[in-house]
Amino acid sequence: MKDAFLLVYRNIRERKTRSILTMLGIVVGIAAVVAIMSISYGMQESITEQLSEMTDIIMVTPGSQELGSFGEFGSFTERDLNDVERISGVKEAAAMMGEMQEVEYRGEKVMVEIVGIKPRDMDAVFGSTVKLEEDSGSGISASGRELRENDRKACQIGYSIANDYFDYEIGVNDRLTINGSKFRVIGVLEKQGGFRSNVDAQIYVTKRDAIDIFGTNDISSIFVRVRDIEEAEAIADEIGEQIDDNHKLDDFTSAMAMGGAIEDLNSIFQVLQVFLLAIVSISLIVAAMGIMNTTLMSVMERTHEIGVMKAIGAKNRNILFLFLMEAGVVSGIGGVLGCIVGWGAAEVISFGIYSAFDVEIAVVMKLQVLLGGVAIAVLVGILSGFYPARKASKLSPVEAVRYE
Amino acid sequence: MGKAKTRKVECMIHTENLCKTYRMGDVVVQALRDVNMEIKDGEFVAIIGPSGSGKSTLLNLLGCLDKPTSGAVFIGGTDTASLSENALAEIRREKIGFIFQQFNLIHTLNALENVALPMFFAGVGRDVRLKKAEELLVKVELGERMYHKPSELSGGQQQRVAIARSLSNDPAIIIGDEPTGNVDTDTGTAIMQILEGLNREGKTIIVVTHDAEIAARAGRTKRMRDGKVLE
Ligand SMILES: Nc1ncnc2c1ncn2[C@@H]1O[C@H](COP(=O)(O)OP(=O)(O)OP(=O)(O)O)[C@@H](O)[C@H]1O
Ligand SMILES: [Mg+2]
């Protein structure tokens, strides 16, 4: 075995350039597989992580998706909220009011989505993931405090509002003007990014203030948390019927159980993953043809040598083994390098996504993926080396020895 | 060629109406025509004859490197036509040592590894293999050149490595197709001396040569012409 390896190794080394080029094909193929797998595992993980706290949530919004167009959006009433709260299995229901409003800060005016919510409902909506920004170590709390029920003309602002929307940074105790009335910033929220990046671009006020600003008490969406995730779908249906009844409309309400949505997202994701892998496997096919070609050339060039080996007693299977091993070693090394390159590429892609879209996707490198990558490489090598290796093993000793 | 003869142990190799025809398109070359010969155990046979008379063709058939068009080659009483490819490979590996005019060493392997190669194919363990290869190289007086690649050896040295390689599975028969054809006269004589030594040890030796002087050293000389053995 060791000597077979030596023999194979010497042959590979003797044709260094060609071996490296062949290897390169495998490296690219496996690197692509490894990078895609680890990035998509990373995405899946961050989706699951970000959304896992939302599995017991039902999002209730007006205007069903079937009806489609935005123009048909309506709003909910206080009565709808009360009815939803009364449905059995509902743990809490939080109403949110949202509207785009002109916000002015130091003379600069920007349209921002203002969200009105009862402070005690904040937790129901966001769980524990949305936090005030961490102290930046200055000693004084830079991030302020949560909204309270009896706050007047006070607001919490999202991270992007504080840092990006206006020329000047906005901090705690700064004042901004929303639709003509002055508000004091009492808290800055931690950066969310990813699936919650909308939070970064919102300003939160108490429901009472929102009614003042908007001039209406229409509710734009209701967040419902259920006691039992299993019942979420059924409760969502019931909520939809209840509100439709209230408004005497069909399909007015869209009540979506997030748990189901997450599952849907996951399966979409798996489809995407398979699709990407299918594309990547094309590069593996190209690599396989490279190996086949190299091995065929190797067989041709070494016809004489094969003849000599057979003349001194090599069996067909000895020859077959040597050539398969050669293909396997080249592609195996290619596979290992491919894993390393793929890992690096994944880190680069992850960084690229972070820089471009502000979404953090960790690279999840699973041992199975690495081992699988090397195994696939070796398999591809051996399979594509098989035809030439077999051809080599079948050569007639005299004819092969005569071949120069 | 009665059956009684095939059973005799001392009859190492014999052929029955051995024919080999090469067909290249319309051209048919009868390289061997009805060759009947026997070589006894421990004999030293030299085959001479003009170029194209079929010497190499005959040796390739005796060495189981090729198959006859008709007729048969018996080795140790076994009809080689009845053997599978694997069994033929085993005969080449265990019973026959083949020496070529062009040496035909594996150029990526050093002398020691070349000599050990037939044992590798025979599945002999690494340590045993290398020790035996070393002994064989010492025997052909190449103990100092064990780790040299063929390209670093002279023609005569390469041929001695090839002889050592042919001995590696301790075969009963050594077949050489002009083993002295590519070396100078002195080296040729030295190689013949090695072969004579092996013959004294009991090996059956069959060599093709163009050199009458070398042929004269053999126990028996067979002359070939136009695919026939003239005796
Ligand atoms: N593979 C082949 N295809 C076609 N013809 C062949 C082949 N091998 C040998 N021959 C022909 O068969 C005849 C015998 O060839 P062979 O090689 O046995 O001669 P030889 O006695 O060994 O000659 P030399 O002394 O030149 O080596 C020649 O006419 C040769 O052209
Ligand atoms: Mg010849």
Side-chain angles (χ1 to χ4, degrees), chain A residues 398-399 402, chain B residues 20-24 27 29-32 49-60 66 101 177-178 208 210 224 227:
Chain A
V398 238
E399 277 164 34
R402 284 169 66 97
Chain B
K20 182 73 187 181
T21 311
Y22 293 109
R23 223 174 286 271
M24 300 174 78
V27 188
V29 180
Q30 281 206 296
L32 287 184
S51 183
S53 57
K55 306 183 296 295
S56 295
T57 307
L58 177 63
L59 286 200
N60 289 339
D66 206 356
Q101 181 175 353
D177 191 352
E178 300 189 43
V208 163
H210 278 300
M224 287 192 75

Side-chain angles (χ1 to χ4, degrees), chain B residues 139-140 160 163 189-199:
Chain B
K139 186 169 174 176
V140 296
R160 279 187 278 157
I163 292 173
T189 310
I191 283 168
M192 274 312 274
Q193 276 166 353
I194 295 175
L195 292 177
E196 280 166 355
L198 291 171
N199 183 238

Side-chain angles (χ1 to χ4, degrees), chain B residues 158-186:
Chain B
Q158 287 188 56
Q159 195 60 301
R160 279 187 278 157
V161 173
I163 292 173
R165 178 178 69 181
S166 75
L167 295 172
S168 99
N169 284 320
D170 210 6
I173 307 160
I174 306 286
I175 297 178
D177 191 352
E178 300 189 43
T180 56
N182 269 18
V183 296
D184 61 58
T185 319
D186 288 349

Side-chain angles (χ1 to χ4, degrees), chain B residues 129-160:
Chain B
R129 204 159 71 206
L130 292 181
K131 192 163 179 296
K132 176 94 180 281
E134 203 177 315
E135 283 167 15
L136 288 170
L137 282 172
V138 169
K139 186 169 174 176
V140 296
E141 290 166 20
L142 277 176
E144 308 293 306
R145 295 279 189 280
M146 289 197 291
Y147 301 103
H148 289 242
K149 291 273 173 69
S151 57
E152 298 156 1
L153 298 171
S154 73
Q157 288 170 333
Q158 287 188 56
Q159 195 60 301
R160 279 187 278 157

Side-chain angles (χ1 to χ4, degrees), chain A residues 3 10 14 310 315, chain B residues 90 92 107 113 126 129:
Chain A
D3 295 67
R10 298 233 175 110
E14 205 186 39
K310 293 191 96 170
K315 291 186 179 177
Chain B
E90 270 167 35
R92 293 194 294 266
H107 68 287
E113 290 158 347
R126 184 181 162 78
R129 204 159 71 206

